[in-house]
Amino acid sequence: MAGNFIRVACGDCENEQTVFEKASSTVACAVCGTTLATPTGGKAAIEGEIVETVEAR
């Protein structure tokens, strides 16, 4: 696998959401709409707090 999935906590509403660390599009919180990840061409810029890294199978 080319990247890992990470669990990110939203800074506004504390919702936890799983995000691909090399996201190619902007990822918004499913609850409040705050931006959690912004693409940069490589690894995404994570705006929230990284809670854990979900290991690849």
Side-chain angles (χ1 to χ4, degrees):
M1 181 181 270
N4 292 321
F5 288 91
I6 53 176
R7 194 146 186 87
V8 179
C10 178
D12 291 343
C13 69
E14 300 299 323
N15 176 49
E16 289 186 4
Q17 195 165 318
T18 304
V19 176
F20 189 58
E21 72 178 352
K22 294 184 179 181
S24 61
S25 60
T26 303
V27 178
C29 176
V31 175
C32 68
T34 301
T35 301
L36 297 178
T38 307
T40 62
K43 287 190 177 182
I46 306 299
E47 305 294 331
E49 177 186 349
I50 298 174
V51 176
E52 70 175 317
T53 300
V54 181
E55 297 296 326
R57 293 183 194 192

